[in-house]
Amino acid sequence: MGDVDRIPPPRFQLGDPRWVLELRYLPWPVAWAACFGRPGPLHVELGFGDGAFLAALARRMPAANLVGVERALEPTRWALRRMRREGVENVRLVLGDAFAALAFLFEPGSIEGLYVNFPDPWPKARHHHRRLLTPGFLHLAAHRLQPGGLLTIATDDPDYALWIAEALRDTPGLESVFETPWVHALPGREPTRYERKALAAGRPCFYFVWRRSGAVPAPVLPRIMRGEASMPHRIWEGDPDLSQVAAQLRGRLWQDGETIWRVKGLYRAVEGEGLLIELLMAEGSWVETVALIFRPHGPGLWILKPAEIGGLRPTLALKMGVQRIAQAIEEATPGLRVVSSTI
Ligand SMILES: C[S@@+](CC[C@H](N)C(=O)[O-])C[C@H]1O[C@@H](n2cnc3c(N)ncnc32)[C@H](O)[C@@H]1O
């Protein structure tokens, strides 16, 4: 057997603080001028893929500070290589979710140019909830742009383009810089990887360039626990029956004002005992899925806590979600005695 069961070491480690920043380790919001070592207009690309567009933009605007956000590791790795190879100095790459980055890393009215190139269209209606562009996202984008700042979106999916045109029209404080909601060519633009593919296949592209032209009301965002809040957890003494706990949790839904929690999935540990609880949380326009772990914590003790993955932040909704799951566990296991709790 030997090494078969061992997890291989990561092929690549991000740890290059000069270029790559991990969302979960950044202060909210980031003092970008300090991060770049100089003030400068902020330009942000969300979902930068291989980084070609970002690198070209950085060369075209040497005085600007450019931030790219991408949630997938592999493209971030390609982009990092590119920045090094091409000697690009005025770019920082953030590994994390674009919505979260926009919401928490950037001050209102701070971005001069925001770019979303070829966001995944998720054409099936039942997958629309996976789209990056939602009315809530566009509202947030408008709020983060400075007055006169530009939001540029490109897509080759005609259905998505129609949806985007309508959604932009409904977003407060934005207007198209053109007479029409989109144009089919933007001269001088560096085509992205997806754009090249679309153009090579003869698919027309739709380019939206919308300006922040008016007031934008503050969007509803998750409330963050301030101060020295520790991640919510609870420890019990007792002997829970995991089947009972799972039965108590399966499909549960809770609502408190604007916040909704739903148990999306339950997974039993393959080795040892334990449950992984997938919890969907929606607060205002913010929707995220977190994983909570319920497992033994020393002899006779059990712990419920968020899993340390996915750039979790101590939001109030997370704390209240852990509270609800803890209550359900206690309902399923009458003999449990709380030993310690931060919820
Ligand atoms: C269709 S690709 C387009 C890549 C590149 N912009 C281009 O035009 O070639 C969409 C990219 O957005 C990234 N992405 C999708 N949803 C995201 C999110 N919520 N946060 C950050 N990146 C995201 C994907 O990982 C992928 O790299």
XYZ file of all heavy atoms in Angstrom, residues 45-50 69-72 75 96-99 116-121 130 132 192-195, ligand 1:
244
model
N -10.426 43.711 -12.931
C -11.030 42.711 -13.817
C -11.478 41.509 -12.987
O -10.699 40.959 -12.185
C -10.058 42.240 -14.912
C -10.808 41.379 -15.914
C -9.965 40.644 -16.956
O -8.731 40.720 -16.899
O -10.565 39.979 -17.810
N -12.720 41.089 -13.198
C -13.263 39.955 -12.442
C -13.296 38.723 -13.344
O -13.812 38.788 -14.462
C -14.673 40.289 -11.941
C -14.774 41.572 -11.093
C -16.231 41.863 -10.729
C -13.929 41.462 -9.824
N -12.740 37.596 -12.868
C -12.700 36.376 -13.686
C -11.701 36.533 -14.822
O -12.043 36.367 -15.987
N -10.422 36.833 -14.481
C -9.453 37.229 -15.520
C -8.935 36.077 -16.374
O -8.231 36.296 -17.363
C -8.275 38.000 -14.908
C -7.558 37.298 -13.786
C -6.791 36.175 -14.030
C -7.659 37.774 -12.483
C -6.113 35.537 -12.992
C -6.999 37.141 -11.442
C -6.223 36.015 -11.691
N -9.247 34.841 -16.032
C -8.799 33.718 -16.874
C -7.284 33.684 -16.977
O -6.599 33.687 -15.962
N -6.756 33.691 -18.198
C -5.294 33.571 -18.345
C -4.544 34.890 -18.124
O -3.325 34.921 -18.195
C -4.933 32.954 -19.703
C -5.233 33.897 -20.863
O -5.708 35.032 -20.625
O -4.984 33.504 -22.007
N -9.351 39.565 -10.159
C -9.938 38.612 -9.213
C -10.329 37.353 -9.974
O -10.976 37.436 -11.025
C -11.184 39.197 -8.501
C -11.729 38.214 -7.474
C -10.872 40.533 -7.849
N -9.941 36.203 -9.478
C -10.254 34.932 -10.144
C -10.424 33.885 -9.041
O -9.659 33.867 -8.085
C -9.100 34.575 -11.091
C -9.131 33.210 -11.731
C -10.371 32.920 -12.568
O -10.631 33.610 -13.550
O -11.100 31.968 -12.186
N -11.436 33.019 -9.216
C -11.640 32.067 -8.127
C -10.959 30.727 -8.387
O -10.821 29.916 -7.484
C -13.115 31.870 -7.853
C -13.820 31.092 -8.915
C -15.211 30.753 -8.449
N -15.956 30.177 -9.536
C -17.261 30.115 -9.595
N -17.979 30.619 -8.620
N -17.866 29.562 -10.605
N -10.534 30.513 -9.638
C -9.922 29.217 -9.934
C -8.404 29.312 -9.831
O -7.794 30.301 -10.260
C -10.339 28.759 -11.326
N -6.077 29.104 -13.552
C -5.892 30.353 -14.297
C -5.051 31.367 -13.524
O -4.256 32.094 -14.131
C -7.317 30.882 -14.483
C -8.205 29.732 -14.250
C -7.492 28.769 -13.366
N -10.087 34.429 -5.239
C -11.296 34.419 -4.420
C -12.508 34.722 -5.279
O -12.410 34.884 -6.502
N -13.649 34.803 -4.637
C -14.908 35.030 -5.343
C -15.050 36.514 -5.715
O -14.797 37.401 -4.895
C -16.071 34.595 -4.438
C -17.387 34.890 -5.101
O -17.705 34.223 -6.095
O -18.086 35.817 -4.659
N -15.492 36.735 -6.963
C -15.574 38.098 -7.480
C -16.589 38.951 -6.708
O -16.343 40.122 -6.431
C -15.957 38.056 -8.956
N -17.725 38.369 -6.383
C -18.761 39.129 -5.663
C -18.225 39.541 -4.289
O -18.309 40.695 -3.875
C -20.024 38.271 -5.521
C -21.271 39.065 -5.194
C -22.430 38.884 -5.929
C -21.282 39.973 -4.159
C -23.586 39.596 -5.635
C -22.427 40.691 -3.847
C -23.582 40.499 -4.595
N -15.704 42.777 -16.824
C -16.130 41.381 -16.686
C -16.164 40.811 -18.102
O -17.040 41.155 -18.900
C -17.520 41.247 -16.024
C -17.830 39.774 -15.752
C -17.596 42.039 -14.718
N -15.178 39.976 -18.435
C -15.060 39.461 -19.798
C -15.534 38.031 -19.892
O -15.023 37.160 -19.196
C -13.596 39.536 -20.245
C -13.152 40.971 -20.446
O -13.870 41.765 -21.061
N -11.991 41.314 -19.917
N -16.528 37.799 -20.700
C -17.030 36.457 -20.995
C -17.341 35.655 -19.725
O -16.801 34.561 -19.523
C -16.059 35.730 -21.949
C -15.986 36.451 -23.258
C -15.161 37.567 -23.402
C -16.796 36.089 -24.308
C -15.154 38.296 -24.585
C -16.777 36.808 -25.499
C -15.952 37.902 -25.625
N -18.195 36.232 -18.892
C -18.612 35.465 -17.705
C -19.365 34.218 -18.158
O -20.053 34.249 -19.176
C -19.546 36.430 -16.966
C -20.032 37.388 -18.022
C -18.920 37.509 -19.020
N -19.209 33.112 -17.405
C -19.889 31.864 -17.794
C -21.381 32.133 -17.931
O -22.011 32.614 -16.991
C -19.656 30.802 -16.717
C -18.171 30.527 -16.539
O -17.543 30.039 -17.478
O -17.636 30.827 -15.442
N -21.983 31.815 -19.115
C -23.400 32.194 -19.313
C -24.404 31.276 -18.616
O -25.535 31.659 -18.411
C -23.575 32.107 -20.826
C -22.477 31.238 -21.331
C -21.357 31.294 -20.337
N -26.246 30.371 -10.829
C -24.783 30.291 -10.752
C -24.091 31.451 -11.454
O -22.874 31.584 -11.378
C -24.299 28.998 -11.418
C -24.791 27.770 -10.727
C -24.133 26.559 -11.341
N -24.703 25.354 -10.790
C -24.550 24.148 -11.318
N -23.818 24.006 -12.404
N -25.092 23.098 -10.759
N -22.489 34.918 -12.454
C -21.867 35.993 -11.669
C -22.713 37.265 -11.777
O -22.920 37.976 -10.790
C -20.451 36.254 -12.208
C -19.723 37.450 -11.609
C -19.553 37.305 -10.100
C -18.363 37.636 -12.266
N -9.603 38.640 -25.238
C -9.315 37.635 -24.212
C -9.286 36.264 -24.894
O -9.613 36.127 -26.071
C -10.407 37.629 -23.128
O -11.607 37.083 -23.700
C -10.687 39.015 -22.581
N -8.953 35.242 -24.122
C -8.874 33.881 -24.661
C -10.234 33.449 -25.234
O -10.327 32.981 -26.357
C -8.453 32.959 -23.507
C -8.138 31.578 -23.893
C -7.179 30.986 -22.871
N -7.073 29.562 -23.060
C -7.709 28.667 -22.308
N -8.484 29.066 -21.317
N -7.558 27.391 -22.547
N -11.297 33.688 -24.460
C -12.638 33.305 -24.915
C -13.076 34.139 -26.109
O -13.760 33.660 -26.999
C -13.644 33.430 -23.766
C -13.684 32.184 -22.922
C -12.631 31.884 -22.073
C -14.745 31.288 -23.013
C -12.631 30.727 -21.319
C -14.759 30.130 -22.261
C -13.705 29.850 -21.410
O -13.708 28.705 -20.668
N -12.661 35.390 -26.076
C -13.029 36.299 -27.168
C -12.396 35.818 -28.484
O -13.058 35.783 -29.525
C -12.496 37.688 -26.807
C -13.035 38.817 -27.602
C -12.675 40.134 -26.911
O -12.192 40.137 -25.762
O -12.875 41.175 -27.537
C -15.619 31.792 -19.365
S -14.212 32.141 -18.436
C -13.610 33.649 -19.149
C -12.168 33.910 -18.817
C -11.591 35.218 -19.387
N -12.240 36.384 -18.820
C -11.698 35.240 -20.883
O -12.530 36.011 -21.398
O -10.971 34.488 -21.539
C -14.911 32.692 -16.906
C -13.860 32.900 -15.826
O -14.476 33.500 -14.703
C -14.062 32.825 -13.538
N -15.160 32.966 -12.559
C -16.426 32.494 -12.687
N -17.164 32.838 -11.605
C -16.326 33.539 -10.784
C -16.493 34.133 -9.513
N -17.668 34.091 -8.874
N -15.439 34.751 -8.960
C -14.237 34.802 -9.602
N -14.017 34.244 -10.805
C -15.054 33.620 -11.399
C -13.828 31.392 -13.982
O -12.962 30.698 -13.105
C -13.211 31.614 -15.360
O -11.818 31.792 -15.286
